[in-house]
Amino acid sequence: MTKATLVAAAALAAAAVGAAHAQSSRDYISIVGSSTVYPFATVVAEQFGKATKYKTPKIESTGSGGGIKLFCQGVGVQHPDITNSSRAIKSSELETCAKNGVKEVIEIKIGYDGLSIANSNAAKPASMTRKEVWLALAKEVPNPKGDGFVANPYKTWAEINPSLPNAKIEVLGPPPTSGTRDAFVELVMDEGCDQFPTVKALKKSDAKKHKAVCQTVREDGAFVEAGENDNLIVQKLAANPNAFGIFGYSFLDQNRDKVQGVAIEGVKPEFDAIASGKYPVSRPLFFYVKKAHVGVIPGLKEYVGEFVSTKAIGDEGYLSERGLIPMPAEERKKVMANAAGMTPMMAK
């Protein structure tokens, strides 16, 4: 081995040791996940950074599915400590976690959010049913002229219902990695398609076909994937009063100067309507904590404590001012006890 080769090998070894040392310690909390939970987590992180001796956590908005994927890749400071999610973690995701050594996962529910369809304040206020939304966005729909299913023929909203806008169907929404997309499929698409007896009957006769018909979104330009950036959707709605967008109520609430919520089944997405259960399209919000990182990453347990405190998620908490719908007191008490004990969830 030449002297130059020895020097190069030594340099590589030193670099490897340096990288290993960098990964052996981290003095801040690393958080990934949902774009819907991101604004709430950011507010809590700022409060936490100001009020404690710990560093402000670093948060990345990756979407719920993307965040859980990163979270489940392993234990160690090179992996996130927390992932935010606008849907519950799936059993298949917990299995992936376990295979990669993430065996104890703590589930923390923070409250509720309404899923909003919105349009520009410059447009007329709109009211739709989930059946109409499904007819506008499904890839295949019942044949309006006979039996079976056909590629979605509807080009304008008025073709579905004359009381809806006589404008081209254009809906900006989240990608498949988003918890908002999952919730939209479950709470709007699935519910809307089952309003048709022919589709509902498929549940028993051909469950696979039923799922495909209900959940597959058309790909002819009527639905536009706008990424994980809800701000981009708001900007596009402001520029195009004929378009509609899909995002959480909290984001609608923060942008009322630009956009307005569409009434679903006659109920507008408003704080009281979501809290009371009258608004038909609402969902719980969560974050998940890696138990193995508690006591290793400075301030992790304390950050969780701040997030579930009454001053944050209580009825008059600072997150309710940002659009989070608080949980009932009894449910909140259970969440706080779970967080205090850092109790891992059972396998689904």
Side-chain angles (χ1 to χ4, degrees):
M1 191 178 284
T2 66
K3 186 176 179 182
T5 307
L6 283 168
V7 169
L12 280 170
V17 169
H21 178 72
Q23 289 194 339
S24 68
S25 61
R26 174 158 47 75
D27 62 354
Y28 62 88
I29 299 165
S30 172
I31 304 171
V32 293
S34 164
S35 61
T36 301
V37 179
Y38 176 83
F40 303 131
T42 300
V43 173
V44 174
E46 287 168 358
Q47 290 279 124
F48 176 76
K50 286 177 192 170
T52 70
K53 63 183 181 181
Y54 303 108
K55 288 193 173 179
T56 302
K58 293 186 180 177
I59 309 175
E60 187 181 355
S61 177
T62 62
S64 297
I68 291 170
K69 189 174 181 183
L70 291 168
F71 179 85
C72 286
Q73 282 179 350
V75 170
V77 293
Q78 67 271 39
H79 302 294
D81 312 305
I82 289 174
T83 186
N84 299 321
S85 186
S86 57
R87 61 163 172 82
I89 194 168
K90 299 172 184 175
S91 55
S92 59
E93 290 166 332
L94 283 173
E95 285 168 14
T96 301
C97 266
K99 281 177 192 168
N100 293 330
V102 185
K103 297 187 187 240
E104 292 186 301
V105 176
I106 303 156
E107 179 179 78
I108 307 289
K109 185 188 282 189
I110 63 167
Y112 294 90
D113 183 39
L115 194 61
S116 307
I117 299 174
N119 62 348
S120 166
N121 284 339
K124 271 181 69 177
S127 180
M128 301 175 184
T129 64
R130 285 175 284 183
K131 180 180 179 180
E132 290 164 349
V133 176
W134 181 76
L135 279 176
L137 296 182
K139 187 173 183 179
E140 285 188 320
V141 297
N143 186 350
K145 297 177 181 176
D147 296 331
F149 296 91
V150 294
N152 197 322
Y154 300 112
K155 304 297 181 190
T156 70
W157 292 99
E159 289 172 10
I160 295 168
N161 182 338
S163 70
L164 293 173
N166 188 18
K168 184 179 83 167
I169 296 168
E170 184 178 349
V171 179
L172 305 159
T177 52
S178 167
T180 299
R181 174 73 166 264
D182 289 334
F184 179 76
V185 166
E186 178 187 342
L187 299 170
V188 178
M189 298 290 282
D190 280 349
E191 293 292 330
C193 78
D194 278 343
Q195 300 297 313
F196 292 88
T198 52
V199 181
K200 195 170 183 180
L202 279 175
K203 263 186 182 175
K204 290 182 179 177
S205 63
D206 190 342
K208 194 173 178 183
K209 174 70 172 173
H210 176 268
K211 183 178 179 181
V213 167
C214 286
Q215 298 185 358
T216 307
V217 177
R218 62 196 294 184
E219 299 165 337
D220 57 359
F223 181 83
V224 181
E225 283 186 11
E228 295 287 357
N229 187 346
D230 292 336
N231 280 306
L232 182 63
I233 297 180
V234 170
Q235 288 167 20
K236 293 196 172 186
L237 296 185
N240 180 6
N242 287 328
F244 292 87
I246 299 164
F247 37 71
Y249 163 77
S250 55
F251 205 79
L252 166 68
D253 195 48
Q254 291 159 28
N255 290 278
R256 288 194 185 276
D257 58 324
K258 302 181 192 75
V259 292
Q260 60 187 332
V262 172
I264 303 293
E265 262 95 66
V267 183
K268 286 193 170 185
E270 301 287 358
F271 188 97
D272 289 343
I274 298 166
S276 69
K278 286 180 183 173
Y279 182 68
V281 193
S282 63
R283 57 180 173 171
L285 302 177
F286 305 88
F287 66 86
Y288 293 89
V289 184
K290 208 167 280 178
K291 179 74 180 272
H293 286 198
V294 177
V296 177
I297 301 300
L300 185 53
K301 187 172 182 180
E302 290 80 2
Y303 169 81
V304 174
E306 171 66 30
F307 213 134
V308 302
S309 66
T310 302
K311 66 179 178 178
I313 63 169
D315 291 340
E316 306 296 327
Y318 60 76
L319 292 183
S320 70
E321 295 169 10
R322 301 297 182 110
L324 182 71
I325 312 298
M327 290 175 276
E330 279 304 307
E331 187 176 17
R332 192 161 62 241
K333 198 185 293 182
K334 287 178 185 171
V335 167
M336 288 174 172
N338 182 51
M342 287 278 124
T343 311
M345 62 192 298
M346 304 295 287
K348 292 189 174 188

